[in-house]
Amino acid sequence: MESTQKKNYALPIAMMFALFFMISFVTGLQNPMAIIVKGQFGASNFMSQLGNAANFIAYAVMGIPAGILLQKIGYKKTALAAIVVGFCGVGISYLSGQVSSFAVYLIGAFVSGFSMCMLNTVVNPMLNTLGGGGNLGNRLIQFGGSINSIGATIVPVFAGYLIGTVTQQTAISDANPALFLAMGIFVLAFIVLFSMNIPEPNVEQKEKPEVKDTHSALSFRHFILGIICIFIYVGVEVGIPNFANLFMTTGAEEGGLGIDTTIAGSVVGTYWFLMLIGRLTGASVGAKVSSKAMLSVVSTIGLAFVALAIFLPETTIVSMPVFQSDISFGLAQVPVGVMLLILCGLCTSIMWGAIFNLAVEGLGKYTAMASGIFMVMVCGGGLLPLFQGWVADFAGFMNSYWVIFAGLAYMLFYALVGCKNVNKNIPTE
């Protein structure tokens, strides 16, 4: 009976992995799209990040409603709704290429962000449920995170190969094949999930009489500092590769390196590939090393990498191994500072899990609410890069990484001091 159940759930599990891939694919698409809109519309570094900002700001708007929707209509209907919204968002992005409109492009990014938030709210608990909870459920979620990293690795490489060298004629419509692929997977996922029976454990629970609680997750100092930390983390994770890409592809007359888009895409893809390696490594040592120790170490290493990248001369060129568009490895000639920024992927890979664990430690019954608030704070992935783009416009690309440096410094502070639970007197049962 157990094997039959697993067989029945094999296809929806595969679709959850596909949706994990889509979350990173659609989110990561804003990185190469920023290069296109910068060239097509003559946008500043600040404006080039508005699509990425719209995508992530949608999390702030949709985070709480997505959690409520999950409780009201269950996993399956929420996932199906998210897929429909995602298809519409990517469709609007396609339409923006047809009408050559920056405003329509931003609307598409915003709608796509709604979908990504809804999917993030659904996919983790659904995978855990499909796996039957326990070790298998956790293993499925970890594997899903690795699939997410693979999607993020492929996007800049694939898009860089697709776009080629950015010229005055390069337009959003040149990314149509990637957009069609995204819409196709959304359609396939919808059909498969619609035809499948998905367990809905929350539906079976009877409503309990509501008891007024004088406390919440926000009553805990270490949680408040933790959600600030996650806001900064997502911005750091996104800002490092986004501005490395802009720095490499922008012409020398505008303070960039003038590197071919295909090569730059391979370099940025390597950042996400290193995040995949880091996540797999972090999962293997997670049972032996505390979240506090892991976050302290990777934040310190990240600070060293970013500081060296800022101060080392751009004229010092190295041959960096990169993940190429034909799914092989090659060498790219880049400044040593760019290589150090890409190596930060090893550090950022395990930060989310470490920060989450530290922030919800000791919250007990408030953990579910805390998870919803965490999803809202993902909007940092749009707002912090927007600020970094503003700094880059007047201080240059490499100086904009002082924003990243400050973010890493806060994460180190949180790991060493801020994560301590000083509110143990609050009842959590």
Side-chain angles (χ1 to χ4, degrees):
M1 183 74 176
E2 186 180 347
S3 60
T4 304
Q5 189 179 27
K6 286 184 180 178
K7 183 178 179 182
N8 289 342
Y9 291 151
L11 201 51
I13 286 172
M15 285 301 100
M16 287 303 100
F17 288 156
L19 292 178
F20 251 121
F21 180 89
M22 286 308 303
I23 289 170
S24 63
F25 191 89
V26 175
T27 302
L29 204 56
Q30 300 306 323
N31 189 338
M33 292 289 272
I35 301 172
I36 298 177
V37 299
K38 185 176 179 181
Q40 182 177 359
F41 301 109
S44 65
N45 292 312
F46 174 84
M47 290 185 65
S48 73
Q49 294 301 303
L50 286 176
N52 177 70
N55 195 274
F56 278 99
I57 289 171
Y59 279 79
V61 178
M62 196 63 195
I64 302 291
I68 295 172
L69 201 61
L70 190 62
Q71 290 179 330
K72 294 283 186 184
I73 64 175
Y75 291 152
K76 181 176 177 178
K77 290 180 180 177
T78 303
L80 290 174
I83 292 170
V84 171
V85 173
F87 181 88
C88 293
V90 177
I92 294 171
S93 296
Y94 164 75
L95 181 63
S96 72
Q98 301 306 111
V99 299
S100 189
S101 169
F102 186 65
V104 175
Y105 157 71
L106 292 180
I107 293 171
F110 191 62
V111 174
S112 295
F114 280 138
S115 173
M116 298 308 100
C117 179
M118 294 169 71
L119 287 176
N120 264 309
T121 307
V122 170
V123 168
N124 285 286
M126 184 182 277
L127 267 184
N128 190 54
T129 300
L130 292 173
N135 291 337
L136 181 56
N138 289 333
R139 198 176 303 129
L140 287 176
I141 292 173
Q142 289 173 3
F143 189 67
S146 299
I147 297 291
N148 186 277
S149 293
I150 291 172
T153 301
I154 291 174
V155 172
V157 177
F158 175 70
Y161 174 76
L162 176 73
I163 299 166
T165 304
V166 175
T167 66
Q168 293 298 321
Q169 286 71 44
T170 305
I172 295 174
S173 57
D174 291 321
N176 281 350
L179 299 176
F180 291 151
L181 176 63
M183 286 190 283
I185 296 180
F186 274 134
V187 170
L188 176 63
F190 184 92
I191 293 171
V192 173
L193 279 178
F194 184 80
S195 62
M196 287 290 160
N197 290 320
I198 303 296
E200 300 280 0
N202 292 334
V203 175
E204 299 171 359
Q205 297 177 358
K206 294 180 180 179
E207 291 188 9
K208 297 179 180 179
E210 189 176 342
V211 179
K212 190 172 182 180
D213 200 333
T214 56
H215 297 289
S216 71
L218 295 174
S219 301
F220 296 81
R221 190 196 73 169
H222 75 288
F223 176 70
I224 294 175
L225 295 177
I227 60 175
I228 295 172
C229 195
I230 211 71
F231 175 92
I232 291 171
Y233 159 70
V234 183
V236 166
E237 180 200 56
V238 173
I240 290 173
N242 274 19
F243 283 89
N245 206 0
L246 282 171
F247 179 41
M248 286 186 285
T249 55
T250 299
E253 68 280 359
E254 297 179 57
L257 299 174
I259 294 176
D260 183 84
T261 313
T262 304
I263 297 173
S266 296
V267 174
V268 174
T270 304
Y271 170 89
W272 298 107
F273 179 78
L274 290 175
M275 281 198 70
L276 169 62
I277 300 301
R279 281 175 174 169
L280 293 174
T281 304
S284 65
V285 302
K288 302 174 184 176
V289 182
S290 71
S291 295
K292 180 173 182 175
M294 290 175 70
L295 184 59
S296 299
V297 170
V298 294
S299 297
T300 302
I301 295 173
L303 282 167
F305 281 160
V306 173
L308 286 170
I310 293 172
F311 287 114
L312 288 174
E314 295 173 14
T315 52
T316 305
I317 305 297
V318 295
S319 295
M320 174 186 168
V322 295
F323 189 76
Q324 299 181 126
S325 57
D326 59 357
I327 318 300
S328 66
F329 287 94
L331 295 175
Q333 303 292 317
V334 296
V336 64
V338 171
M339 183 183 73
L340 289 168
L341 293 174
I342 298 304
L343 285 174
C344 286
L346 290 170
C347 303
T348 56
S349 59
I350 58 175
M351 287 177 171
W352 172 279
I355 296 169
F356 184 85
N357 288 341
L358 291 172
V360 301
E361 181 69 27
L363 293 191
K365 65 181 179 181
Y366 303 112
T367 302
M369 174 191 175
S371 298
I373 297 173
F374 253 74
M375 196 53 60
V376 172
M377 300 307 284
V378 170
C379 68
L383 298 179
L384 203 66
L386 203 60
F387 176 64
Q388 189 179 355
W390 177 73
V391 174
D393 277 330
F394 74 84
F397 287 106
M398 292 311 296
N399 281 326
S400 76
Y401 277 92
W402 284 115
V403 175
I404 302 297
F405 186 88
L408 290 166
Y410 179 85
M411 284 186 263
L412 180 59
F413 155 77
Y414 184 70
L416 296 176
V417 180
C419 67
K420 184 179 179 181
N421 184 1
V422 297
N423 302 105
K424 293 183 179 180
N425 58 317
I426 298 176
T428 58
E429 296 300 324

